[in-house]
Amino acid sequence: MPQPTCPQPRRWRLAASALLDGEPLPVPREKLDAHLAACVDCRAWLAQARRLSPELRRDSLRPPDLTAMLINASEAHICGCHTGGDCECRDCQCPTCTCKPVA
C-alpha cells in the first residue's frame, strides 16, 4: 500500500469535511481548493466522503430501535390502590399512593 503524500492530512480533511457539511472552513476556501488540486490523497478522500455522505446522513436521521434495550429492563407494577382495588404496597414510595396515612 503506498504511503500517503499529504504532509498535513488532518488539517485538510477537517477543512474538506467542513465544506461538505456546510460549516465554516478552518482555512480560506482558496487555500483548500489549491490543496485539493495538488494533493491526490486529499482529493481521493474528499471523493470518497462525497459518495458516503448521503448514506451517512440518511442513517443518522433514522431513530435508533430501542425495543431490545427496553424489553425486560424494568418491572412496572400498578398497585390496586391506584386502580380502585386492594392495596398491595409494602414500602410504596409513590407520592400519589392513596394507601399511605395522610400526615
Side-chain angles (χ1 to χ4, degrees):
M1 183 170 187
Q3 291 294 318
T5 58
C6 182
Q8 297 177 315
R10 181 169 165 71
R11 174 185 184 200
W12 296 110
R13 292 172 190 180
L14 284 172
S17 179
L19 179 68
L20 282 177
D21 294 339
E23 297 173 353
L25 299 178
V27 298
R29 175 68 190 260
E30 300 78 29
K31 285 189 177 190
L32 176 59
D33 290 342
H35 178 77
L36 291 171
C39 182
V40 174
D41 292 338
C42 289
R43 199 167 49 247
W45 182 91
L46 180 59
Q48 182 179 15
R50 279 191 173 129
R51 282 191 303 274
L52 293 174
S53 186
E55 183 177 333
L56 293 173
R57 289 180 204 285
R58 183 182 63 246
D59 288 347
S60 70
L61 295 174
R62 187 178 305 136
D65 182 6
L66 302 177
T67 306
M69 185 180 79
L70 295 174
I71 290 177
N72 297 324
S74 66
E75 290 185 30
H77 176 74
I78 299 175
C79 180
C81 64
H82 291 283
T83 59
D86 293 332
C87 179
E88 303 163 10
C89 298
R90 291 190 193 111
D91 186 22
C92 183
Q93 299 299 317
C94 176
T96 61
C97 184
T98 58
C99 58
K100 287 184 185 178
V102 179

